Amino acid sequence: MRHLISGLLATLISTAAHAQSDPETVLRTRIDAAIADELAPGLSASLLLPDGTRLDHQAGLADRRHNAPVEPETRFLSGSVGKTITALVAVQLAEEGVLDLDAPVETWLSGRDWWPALANHDGMTLRHLLNHSAGVPDYLEDLDFFLAGLTRGQRGFTPDETIGFVAGDSAEGPLGQHFSYSDTDYILVGLVIEAATGETFYALAQDRIIAPLGLSRTEPLRGRDFAGLANGHRRGWFGLAPTARDGRLSQNLDHEWTAGGWVTTPQDLVTLYSALGAGGMFEAEGRIMRSDYNAFEPGGPSGYGLGIYVRVTGEGHYRISHGGDFGGYRSAVLHDSATGLTVASQANAKPFEAPGFNYELWQALSQ
């Protein structure tokens, strides 16, 4: 009898341990707990396993007014995660000889009115812009841009206008010798890409990245109306205030453009980041994007590559990631070469700390 009880107890312990380590259980538990803790109105996550199996889970509300739940097809703004797409296009063009990552961008930009006043413009290269060592101030942090946004109504800002807000401002650091994150860097990259190719960036990205990977739920952030868009939220006087209703953004956010202007899903984000890893469609580009990263500390294991955060985790192993915070939405995606796991999460509230949540989710899945 004692042996029978011991056997049953061992079985129960083994079953519980397996349940705790089962990827689908971990994914569901973490997402449901975040909603129970009111970290965001709604949350969606996707996990891509090394064998290609994808697990998805959603919880909470996409629309609190109508009590509409987050569904598998619910979409969110990508925010700066979209920089990965911009960098990927730039690297492809460089590999084809259309662009040179280490040649001055003056060739493509010197005719712009703001060029002479742009910080660090002399000798600035595409690599400087892509790894945030250019020192160009971030227009999103500029007071004049903020004030202009209060009175512009639904009119969008052009790339020249956004760059113009910081032209004349002091550099954030010496060219190529520091790290200062700036959306303006990637707006400049977009202008270089279009000038060099004679094509619009969104058309290039669609043909080169979106269509080949089958990212069917990913769409350029143009205009205000998007099918399946969750209602975003930011902090207001009385709790969370909506930034979108019924699929319509309260503001025109076109200015994000090549700095992260996409509407997407976690499912598409894990597909994108998995493609940058071993055996992926863009493995070669991914290798370039994470090599020779702009280290946060001299000789350190982590830094910013080309459109991705990079951390070297061991001999031949790495982790690439990015987060996004824009328009009342938070996004994060991570790919780890050692475990082969790719995970992405998106929420419809600015206060939600997506990168931290994503990292903790990956840690729990890796145990």
Side-chain angles (χ1 to χ4, degrees):
M1 185 67 175
R2 180 182 300 171
H3 292 298
L4 178 60
I5 293 174
S6 298
L8 287 172
L9 182 59
T11 301
L12 287 172
I13 293 174
S14 176
T15 301
H18 175 74
Q20 289 177 352
S21 62
D22 173 67
E24 187 168 10
T25 300
V26 171
L27 185 67
R28 289 180 175 275
T29 300
R30 292 277 172 158
I31 299 299
D32 291 346
I35 294 302
D37 290 340
E38 299 183 343
L39 299 184
L43 183 56
S44 181
S46 185
L47 168 65
L48 196 60
L49 301 177
D51 64 2
T53 300
R54 198 187 74 202
L55 303 173
D56 304 321
H57 186 57
Q58 301 80 35
L61 299 175
D63 185 338
R64 297 194 298 178
R65 289 196 308 158
H66 301 301
N67 203 39
V70 176
E71 303 283 1
E73 63 273 12
T74 299
R75 303 196 292 172
F76 307 77
L77 302 195
S78 74
S80 288
V81 175
K83 287 182 174 64
T84 303
I85 296 176
T86 303
L88 180 51
V89 172
V91 167
Q92 288 181 346
L93 292 171
E95 287 298 282
E96 295 165 12
V98 177
L99 291 172
D100 184 337
L101 295 177
D102 298 303
V105 294
E106 179 180 7
T107 302
W108 311 109
L109 302 179
S110 61
R112 304 279 179 167
D113 291 341
W114 40 257
W115 177 254
L118 189 68
N120 285 345
H121 69 273
D122 189 19
M124 182 186 295
T125 69
L126 203 56
R127 189 182 301 277
H128 293 142
L129 294 169
L130 289 168
N131 70 15
H132 293 301
S133 65
V136 179
D138 190 346
Y139 77 88
L140 289 176
E141 302 295 326
D142 185 81
L143 178 60
D144 289 336
F145 171 76
F146 171 76
L147 294 175
L150 297 178
T151 59
R152 67 188 169 102
Q154 294 307 322
R155 184 183 71 83
F157 290 113
T158 68
D160 285 307
E161 287 175 325
T162 56
I163 298 169
F165 284 113
V166 299
D169 292 354
S170 299
E172 296 294 320
L175 187 63
Q177 301 177 44
H178 75 294
F179 173 80
S180 60
Y181 192 91
S182 172
D183 270 31
T184 317
D185 288 344
Y186 273 70
I187 300 300
L188 289 162
V189 171
L191 290 177
V192 171
I193 288 173
E194 292 197 340
T197 63
E199 300 182 54
T200 67
F201 168 75
Y202 280 134
L204 286 167
Q206 176 66 33
D207 292 342
R208 290 171 170 270
I209 314 298
I210 308 303
L213 287 177
L215 307 183
S216 60
R217 300 294 297 173
T218 300
E219 176 185 356
L221 180 59
R222 291 184 295 204
R224 297 171 56 201
D225 297 292
F226 300 94
L229 179 67
N231 291 350
H233 299 83
R234 60 171 178 251
R235 290 187 180 93
W237 290 107
F238 305 101
L240 293 178
T243 58
R245 284 182 175 171
D246 302 322
R248 165 166 279 209
L249 293 168
S250 58
Q251 288 186 310
N252 184 328
L253 301 176
D254 290 6
H255 56 84
E256 182 73 341
W257 193 43
T258 46
W262 296 93
V263 179
T264 189
T265 64
Q267 296 93 324
D268 279 4
L269 291 180
V270 293
T271 299
L272 170 65
Y273 263 62
S274 177
L276 297 172
M281 182 180 293
F282 302 125
E283 177 182 3
E285 293 93 327
R287 190 178 301 113
I288 294 170
M289 292 166 70
R290 68 176 183 269
S291 66
D292 193 26
Y293 55 85
N294 183 11
F296 297 141
E297 298 179 1
S302 59
Y304 198 92
L306 307 182
I308 51 176
Y309 285 92
V310 181
R311 184 171 184 85
V312 177
T313 57
E315 186 66 33
H317 287 301
Y318 58 87
R319 191 162 60 246
I320 56 175
S321 63
H322 217 298
D325 170 8
F326 195 66
Y329 302 84
R330 296 298 295 267
S331 302
V333 58
L334 176 156
H335 171 74
D336 177 68
S337 71
T339 60
L341 296 174
T342 311
V343 61
S345 57
Q346 291 187 283
N348 57 344
K350 178 178 176 60
F352 180 73
E353 294 296 338
F357 176 84
N358 214 42
Y359 178 72
E360 291 174 2
L361 176 58
W362 168 77
Q363 281 188 312
L365 290 163
S366 302
Q367 294 176 355

